């Protein structure tokens, strides 16, 4: 019965198949392209993949100097889901979540993207060129501070609506880093939503190792060699032009903190647990 129904569906005009497939997901479209020749042409049509691309993509791409070479909307989709595109002279990077097409951003540690207390004083922070594992031309290197505070704000309009987002603090620790093994406060304020979280950047030693706490978020190493720690989540349910505010700080303990390479804050769709 299933094979017969599949055969009957394949007889639909290609524009009908294209319309049907455009109402699914990018993953479903890729599966459909393997069903038959007719499905293949319908699933690869620009009308399908244009539906998966953000409606404001033209505006987004107008803000990059990166050269993008593609021959179809499907090519463009996978190009944007496989690499980060620099926007606004390196203020942030953009890419698509491959499975859903939701927008993802990395806010760089540049002065125009994230405010760092004493970040303009080279006695405390320096702007240095990262290794090849970075799309940004510079990252923030912590020399020494007693108060650690980073904050940023942005309009939820830049994100995909009706998506749960998670924010991550992305960084590396130098070999001589210290003072970063105690909990740091992370806050996300978005309309009526508020997320408060304790994070730790250096869990390998000190009190956090002696007394593990499930309420504290610890870092994980990413595929690109940087580390990340979850700082909270929020639901971009409405399409209003509300502002999301993120704040990461440790201003209570007056001990020296040093040896942090701060890459930025990444916003990406929350991974739902696998049933």
């Amino acid at each position: 019965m299933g094979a017969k129904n599949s055969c009957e569906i394949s007889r639909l005009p290609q524009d009908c198949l294209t319309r049907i497939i455009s109402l699914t997901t990018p993953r479903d479209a890729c599966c459909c392209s393997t069903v038959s020749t007719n499905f293949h042409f319908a699933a690869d049509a620009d009308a399908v993949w244009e539906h998966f691309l953000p409606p404001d993509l033209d505006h987004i791409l107008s803000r990059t100097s990166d050269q993008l070479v593609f021959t179809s909307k499907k090519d463009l989709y996978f190009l944007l889901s496989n690499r980060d595109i620099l926007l606004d002279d390196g203020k942030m990077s953009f890419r698509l979540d491959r499975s859903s097409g939701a927008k993802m951003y990395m806010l760089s540690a540049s002065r125009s993207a994230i405010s760092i207390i004493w970040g303009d004083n080279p006695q405390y922070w320096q702007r240095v060129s990262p290794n090849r594992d970075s799309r940004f031309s510079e990252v923030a290197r912590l020399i020494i501070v007693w108060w650690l505070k980073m904050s940023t704000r942005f309009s939820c309009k830049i994100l995909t609506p009706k998506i749960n987002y998670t924010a991550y603090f992305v960084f590396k620790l130098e070999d001589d880093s210290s003072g970063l093994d105690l909990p740091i406060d992370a806050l996300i304020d978005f309309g009526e939503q508020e997320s408060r979280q304790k994070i730790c950047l250096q869990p390998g030693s000190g009190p956090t190792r002696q007394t593990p706490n499930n309420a504290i978020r610890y870092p994980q190493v990413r595929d690109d060699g940087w580390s990340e720690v979850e700082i909270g989540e929020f639901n971009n349910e409405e399409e209003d032009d509300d502002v999301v505010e993120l704040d990461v700080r440790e201003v209570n303990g007056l001990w020296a903190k040093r040896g942090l390479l701060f890459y930025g804050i990444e916003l990406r769709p929350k991974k739902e647990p696998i049933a």
Side-chain angles (χ1 to χ4, degrees):
M1 180 64 71
K4 181 178 179 180
N5 289 340
S6 176
C7 182
E8 293 296 329
I9 294 174
S10 296
R11 293 178 182 177
L12 289 173
Q14 187 172 314
D15 59 342
C16 290
L17 285 177
T18 295
R19 174 58 179 163
I20 294 170
I21 296 171
S22 71
L23 299 176
T24 63
T25 66
R27 180 176 297 173
D28 291 335
C30 291
C31 293
C32 287
S33 68
T34 65
V35 172
S36 67
T37 301
N38 202 21
F39 266 88
H40 173 77
F41 286 116
D44 283 1
D46 279 352
V48 170
W49 292 92
E50 186 169 12
H51 184 81
F52 299 146
L53 292 168
D56 59 344
L57 183 61
D58 287 343
H59 171 67
I60 294 173
L61 296 184
S62 71
R63 296 156 51 198
T64 184
S65 59
D66 290 0
Q67 298 297 316
L68 305 180
V69 179
F70 56 93
T71 58
S72 67
K73 297 293 185 179
K74 181 179 180 180
D75 285 347
L76 177 59
Y77 182 92
F78 283 102
L79 175 64
L80 295 175
S81 62
N82 285 328
R83 58 175 284 193
D84 294 305
I85 307 300
L86 290 181
L87 302 179
D88 304 335
D89 297 321
K91 177 181 178 180
M92 64 178 69
S93 67
F94 163 81
R95 71 186 303 166
L96 294 178
D97 177 62
R98 177 178 290 190
S99 62
S100 67
K103 292 184 280 188
M104 302 164 53
Y105 289 93
M106 175 76 79
L107 307 178
S108 75
S110 64
R111 296 175 178 86
S112 59
I114 297 176
S115 173
I116 303 176
I117 191 170
W118 298 313
D120 292 330
N121 190 329
Q123 179 180 351
Y124 302 113
W125 289 89
Q126 291 180 353
R127 305 290 167 163
V128 298
S129 298
N131 296 326
R132 296 179 181 178
D133 52 6
S134 170
R135 283 287 282 138
F136 299 127
S137 61
E138 65 176 28
V139 297
R141 178 173 180 261
L142 172 60
I143 305 303
I144 186 170
V145 294
W146 285 260
W147 281 13
L148 184 69
K149 185 178 186 300
M150 295 95 156
S151 59
T152 187
R153 63 199 314 267
F154 55 88
S155 169
C156 68
K157 283 283 191 181
I158 71 171
L159 303 173
T160 301
K162 303 188 185 306
I163 291 288
N164 291 324
Y165 275 91
T166 304
Y168 295 88
F169 187 93
V170 184
F171 68 99
K172 283 184 179 180
L173 295 179
E174 297 184 301
D175 292 339
D176 61 348
S177 63
S178 63
L180 300 170
D181 58 340
L182 291 174
I184 296 172
D185 293 318
L187 169 66
I188 298 179
D189 191 354
F190 177 40
E192 297 181 355
Q193 302 178 55
E194 184 179 87
S195 169
R196 292 183 177 271
Q197 184 66 59
K198 294 284 189 180
I199 65 174
C200 186
L201 305 183
Q202 192 181 31
S205 60
T208 56
R209 183 175 183 180
Q210 298 170 13
T211 57
N213 190 333
N214 292 332
I216 299 176
R217 299 286 185 179
Y218 296 100
Q220 295 182 338
V221 179
R222 298 155 48 105
D223 291 340
D224 60 8
W226 291 85
S227 294
E228 68 177 22
V229 59
E230 179 183 330
I231 60 177
E233 61 184 64
F234 60 95
N235 186 350
N236 192 32
E237 181 65 28
E238 303 297 331
E239 298 188 30
D240 297 331
D241 193 15
D242 287 337
V243 172
V244 182
E245 299 184 11
L246 288 83
D247 188 273
V248 176
R249 66 172 69 187
E250 203 301 299
V251 296
N252 296 318
L254 297 180
W255 56 80
K257 305 167 182 67
R258 56 169 60 89
L260 170 69
L261 290 176
F262 178 41
Y263 185 78
I265 294 176
E266 185 169 49
L267 308 166
R268 62 179 191 254
K270 178 182 178 181
K271 285 187 176 181
E272 300 297 339
I274 300 174

